[in-house]
Amino acid sequence: MKTKIITVVLLLGFVISTNAQKKIKITELPKPAQEFLKKYFSNISVESVKKDAEHGEKGYEVKLKDGTEVEFWKDGTYREVDGDDKPIPTAFIPKVIKEYVAKHYPNEKITHIDYGHKDLDVDLTNKIDLEFTKEGKFIKGDKVKK
């Protein structure tokens, strides 16, 4: 009986996690997401596109062939770009943040940007993790622990 309960719970967990991410076509992304990918990542092929319900919020996750991951809010605006420790394009990053990085870390590149609910997280090639307000005001910077 105990084994059956465990099996049912595991199966239920698998079904729920499978439904949380559903593969879709790139043409099913909201227009702003399609335009963002075309403008900033047109030279990299798309590996997969998923409708994502992470943290109870609907959105989209796009994996590119070079390992970069781009997440979008449900309206198609970008939420996160993760270059997998490689530099990412910066044209879409707020100017104040690019200026801060250039001034304080002139030899480093941005590898990750993530809009949270309250702040903006930016990672650099030297593993420094910077935190900003959504308006771009610097909060703190820490060495990433890996």
Side-chain angles (χ1 to χ4, degrees), residues 114-146:
D114 182 3
Y115 281 90
H117 290 288
K118 297 179 182 175
D119 60 6
L120 179 62
D121 184 55
V122 174
D123 295 344
L124 306 178
T125 47
N126 63 354
K127 307 290 187 209
I128 293 284
D129 181 22
L130 305 174
E131 194 174 320
F132 298 86
T133 64
K134 288 196 175 191
E135 295 75 35
K137 183 180 176 196
F138 177 74
I139 300 172
K140 66 179 181 176
D142 296 314
K143 194 79 166 166
V144 175
K145 295 170 180 81
K146 281 195 177 185

Side-chain angles (χ1 to χ4, degrees), residues 26 29 33-34 36-50 61-72 80-84 86-89 92:
I26 196 163
L29 286 172
Q34 292 180 47
F36 182 90
L37 291 169
K38 186 176 181 180
K39 185 172 183 178
Y40 302 111
F41 296 96
S42 61
N43 60 333
I44 306 168
S45 301
V46 172
E47 186 174 298
S48 66
V49 181
K50 296 177 185 173
E61 179 182 292
V62 177
K63 290 189 180 183
L64 305 177
K65 296 257 185 198
D66 72 346
T68 301
E69 291 184 20
V70 184
E71 291 185 16
F72 297 96
E80 179 177 1
V81 178
D82 185 353
D84 194 29
K86 295 183 302 293
I88 60 174
F92 54 87

